[in-house]
Amino acid sequence: MERLKLGSRAARDVRPKARPAVQRRPPPVLGAIAGSTSDEPTVTLSKRAVERLDQGHVWIYRSDIAAPETLAGGEVVRLADERGWFVGKAFYGAQSQIAIRLLSREDEPIDEEFFARRVGRAIALRDAIQPDPGRCRAGRIVHGEADLLPGLVVDRYADCLTMQTLIEATDARRELFASLLEKALRPRAIVERNDVKVRAYEGLAQRKGVLRGTAPGPVEFAEGEVRLVADLLEGQKTGAFLDQAENRIEAGRYARGRALDCFTYGGAFALQLARRAEKVTAVDISEQAAAQGREAAVSNGATNLEFKVANAFDLLREESARGERYDTIVLDPPAFAKNKASLDAALRGYKEINLRAFHLLERGGVLVTCSCSFHIDDETFERTVLQAASDAKRTAQVVERRGAARDHPTLLGVPETRYLKCLILRVP
């Protein structure tokens, strides 16, 4: 058959015909979502709110919704755009400025089976990350919005669980979630750690205690080759700072010579450094934290680890003035920027400690520097560390850019789920 010449009449005649016009959705039914048979309350979203969801976010603020006056906090609602078309299903909050937290973009029942599936998928991800659950590990099982379970945080410490229900909707369902976790994981105990300030934004009181089983006491768990102990009822966060677990193990790989760990808390970073470094000095302002660190050092046989009770800012300044030098330094401070109003002061703090660390580093030394302040993004943090290096007349190689451990996933389009920054730098 003779090939048709491009652009010839014959060639144009064999082109596929144009597709028929896309059929428009039917107009909405007044007072309801078109095609809906659900009796869930409907919340109407502004055009800006719909665009926000389309861009991947899962939170909608109160200023961008229209809700029934009688709608109670904690309810599951249907979301509609201003034309009445279905957008998704969500938790509604009556107190917080975050009024809508998306659950699903599908028109599906939000019932016990729905939550069981979500919890099961969250557990499956962690099993893929840590395929040897027989070891006495610790890690996050449910990471709130990032696991599409807004306001729910669950951590595992060996054979025990801690749970936080941080919004009205999850708090109202805490017994349901405890039962689902008990059925899925068969823990020895489930501890409630709802003694966090963020609950105040939802009008919720602080509370802690044992939901299932009996009070577990101190729970020992492994982080790499290091053994740690968590107090699930009294320890920081839900017992320990699990988001830094992989960063601590990685920092230990770079440790050598003389090492300094600032803001050490219970010494989790320092214990990893002590496995390779010749001598480690761990610094914290809390005597109680230092005492916990000393106990951990003894149980791990870390005889090259010393704990000092001091203000890390003061110690860095004094060590720098004396001309001290270190081969490895870790900076893991608490969040300096609690809100936008404290941003400038926080950046000055980050610059100060990194400046002193660069002064203290030997040539070829490694600095592991972190920020858990959400209000300071990756670019701003790196720029601040660069300014510190420049003022110290040092050049910094980026060896690794890291974030929270893999069991703390993030959502594309939701920057709030990415809060932890960790830079591993080398001074050439």
Side-chain angles (χ1 to χ4, degrees):
M1 180 177 176
E2 185 179 358
R3 183 175 298 175
L4 298 174
K5 293 182 179 179
L6 187 64
S8 69
R9 180 181 297 274
R12 290 197 298 270
D13 289 343
V14 297
R15 289 176 182 172
K17 295 183 179 180
R19 295 180 181 176
V22 176
Q23 188 174 4
R24 296 287 184 182
R25 281 183 278 188
V29 178
L30 186 63
I33 298 178
S36 170
T37 58
S38 172
D39 59 357
E40 292 160 339
T42 297
V43 171
T44 302
L45 306 182
S46 70
K47 182 180 179 181
R48 181 171 64 176
V50 174
E51 290 174 349
R52 182 175 170 86
L53 292 180
D54 288 343
Q55 291 167 2
H57 217 293
V58 293
W59 292 350
I60 299 299
Y61 293 97
R62 191 165 305 281
S63 58
D64 282 322
I65 70 168
E69 292 183 1
T70 58
L71 188 56
E75 289 197 50
V76 173
V77 298
R78 296 176 65 87
L79 305 178
D81 64 17
E82 292 173 339
R83 297 165 296 181
W85 292 346
F86 176 83
V87 175
K89 291 193 176 183
F91 281 146
Y92 174 74
Q95 299 292 325
S96 172
Q97 287 304 305
I98 303 173
I100 295 296
R101 296 174 190 263
L102 187 68
L103 286 168
S104 177
R105 299 176 190 273
E106 304 295 327
D107 193 356
E108 58 183 319
I110 308 298
D111 52 17
E112 181 175 338
E113 184 179 343
F114 172 88
F115 292 117
R117 288 197 304 270
R118 285 285 166 88
V119 169
R121 290 168 187 167
I123 293 171
L125 171 63
R126 278 61 182 192
D127 288 344
I129 293 170
Q130 295 183 345
D132 54 344
R135 289 195 68 183
C136 294
R137 293 185 181 274
R140 180 141 295 180
I141 297 296
V142 178
H143 192 42
E145 276 78 352
D147 280 303
L148 302 181
L149 285 165
L152 179 65
V153 174
V154 182
D155 289 335
R156 173 165 50 192
Y157 294 88
D159 59 351
C160 297
L161 301 178
T162 60
M163 185 173 76
Q164 293 178 317
T165 50
L166 303 177
I167 62 175
E168 292 175 277
T170 50
D171 198 57
R173 295 167 176 81
R174 68 185 181 124
E175 291 296 334
L176 167 62
F177 287 121
S179 296
L180 293 175
L181 291 164
E182 190 173 41
K183 182 178 180 180
L185 296 171
R186 303 294 180 190
R188 176 164 58 96
I190 300 178
V191 173
E192 177 184 24
R193 284 302 302 267
N194 279 323
D195 52 334
V196 287
K197 294 180 180 179
V198 69
R199 282 169 56 92
Y201 295 114
E202 299 280 331
L204 300 173
Q206 294 192 25
R207 187 175 61 232
K208 66 179 177 180
V210 179
L211 289 176
R212 297 287 193 279
T214 58
V219 178
E220 184 174 292
F221 63 96
E223 192 169 280
E225 301 304 317
V226 169
R227 297 190 306 278
L228 299 171
V229 175
D231 186 334
L232 305 191
L233 281 167
E234 302 298 335
Q236 290 279 354
K237 298 287 187 178
T238 62
F241 294 93
L242 298 180
D243 52 1
Q244 285 279 33
E246 293 179 0
N247 294 334
R248 288 190 286 258
I249 294 171
E250 193 70 3
R253 294 181 60 239
Y254 294 97
R256 64 180 181 84
R258 191 181 181 205
L260 175 66
D261 175 26
C262 294
F263 311 96
T264 191
Y265 183 53
F269 260 113
L271 287 163
Q272 297 290 349
L273 301 181
R275 299 187 66 243
R276 291 177 181 264
E278 294 174 12
K279 180 179 179 181
V280 181
T281 301
V283 181
D284 200 276
I285 200 169
S286 166
E287 173 59 48
Q288 181 182 359
Q292 292 173 359
R294 294 186 189 106
E295 291 179 8
V298 170
S299 67
N300 282 275
T303 57
N304 59 338
L305 174 53
E306 172 193 15
F307 284 83
K308 287 186 178 181
V309 177
N311 182 305
F313 280 87
D314 295 338
L315 181 134
L316 286 166
R317 192 178 302 112
E318 293 164 3
E319 297 269 278
S320 177
R322 286 199 299 265
E324 298 286 350
R325 291 291 182 268
Y326 292 90
D327 301 288
T328 313
I329 298 177
V330 172
L331 302 176
D332 181 29
F336 289 162
K338 299 291 186 182
N339 48 54
K340 290 183 178 180
S342 60
L343 187 58
D344 289 342
L347 291 174
R348 289 195 296 271
Y350 285 118
K351 182 178 179 181
E352 168 70 13
I353 60 174
N354 282 279
L355 172 67
R356 301 302 173 184
F358 280 119
H359 279 309
L360 290 169
L361 270 178
E362 292 277 15
R363 189 172 297 279
V366 170
L367 169 63
V368 180
T369 182
C370 309
S371 167
C372 59
S373 298
F374 157 71
H375 294 286
I376 297 176
D377 60 23
D378 295 66
E379 182 180 355
T380 303
F381 181 59
E382 288 198 23
R383 184 169 61 249
T384 303
V385 175
L386 173 60
Q387 291 170 351
S390 179
D391 287 358
K393 309 300 184 189
R394 310 301 293 270
T395 298
Q397 292 176 321
V398 178
V399 181
E400 293 190 47
R401 288 182 173 90
R402 303 179 61 87
R406 290 170 295 167
D407 55 16
H408 291 61
T410 64
L411 285 182
L412 288 176
V414 188
E416 290 84 353
T417 60
R418 178 171 172 78
Y419 63 95
L420 181 61
K421 285 76 63 181
C422 176
L423 295 175
I424 299 181
L425 307 174
R426 178 176 177 271
V427 175

